[in-house]
Amino acid sequence: MKMKLSAARPVKKRWRPLPNSFMKTKNKKQKRNDRHRRIRAVVKGTEFKPRLSVFRSNKNLWAQLIDDEKGGTLASASSLELKKEHKIAKIEPEKVGELLAQKAVAKKINNVVFDRGGYKYHGSIKMLAEGARKGGLKF
């Protein structure tokens, strides 16, 4: 009796994750930019209800009211304007919010849409928002 020789079955290779050197990892800045892009897809500012945009660096904080329809800045404030007056870092974000609110109220802007810029609503971002509310802006 002759035996049939069957073709050898191919061996299935197991899936293994790639080493870290091959994986594309994102740094903090790229992740924040992704979050900001998702937020900006939803949040739009108009002349009557502008977008309050926030940018934070390691040393300073900037906030501005933006009309997205015209693509222009209506008012802005930063911690650089307050450097001469306040040297306590914990007070600065709130003061920046109040300063921006004063400039907005002078231009008869009361309602805004808050754009946290991809940052967590925590710490200096939260203090800036509370300062703006204290100054008379409504979110």
Side-chain angles (χ1 to χ4, degrees):
M1 206 169 170
K2 284 187 180 179
M3 291 182 76
K4 277 188 174 179
L5 294 175
S6 62
R9 281 183 19 201
V11 178
K12 231 181 188 180
K13 287 190 174 182
R14 257 184 35 188
W15 178 84
R16 290 189 180 123
L18 292 172
N20 283 339
S21 60
F22 289 94
M23 298 184 94
K24 289 186 176 181
T25 56
K26 291 187 174 185
N27 61 22
K28 274 182 161 181
K29 191 173 183 180
Q30 290 169 329
K31 288 179 182 178
R32 185 192 75 78
N33 284 335
D34 288 348
R35 284 191 303 270
H36 193 205
R37 204 172 303 117
R38 283 194 306 267
I39 292 167
R40 286 285 293 116
V42 178
V43 176
K44 302 282 185 225
T46 64
E47 185 179 352
F48 304 106
K49 195 170 184 178
R51 174 170 57 99
L52 194 163
S53 178
V54 178
F55 178 74
R56 183 186 75 192
S57 72
N58 289 338
K59 291 184 177 180
N60 296 306
L61 191 66
W62 290 267
Q64 54 184 345
L65 296 175
I66 302 170
D67 176 7
D68 289 318
E69 292 173 346
K70 293 181 181 174
T73 301
L74 304 173
S76 66
S78 73
S79 57
L80 294 172
E81 296 174 31
L82 301 172
K83 285 290 182 189
K84 298 167 190 165
E85 300 171 17
H86 303 283
K87 296 197 176 189
I88 302 170
K90 292 180 181 178
I91 296 174
E92 266 185 21
E94 195 169 346
K95 296 292 181 188
V96 170
E98 288 176 11
L99 179 63
L100 183 67
Q102 286 173 1
K103 290 180 179 182
V105 170
K107 292 187 177 187
K108 298 180 182 177
I109 298 170
N110 295 321
N111 294 323
V112 296
V113 179
F114 190 67
D115 174 12
R116 57 189 174 87
Y119 302 107
K120 281 185 179 179
Y121 187 77
H122 177 75
S124 60
I125 304 297
K126 185 176 180 180
M127 290 173 70
L128 184 135
E130 289 172 357
R133 283 191 188 104
K134 192 186 290 184
L137 291 180
K138 295 175 187 168
F139 294 22

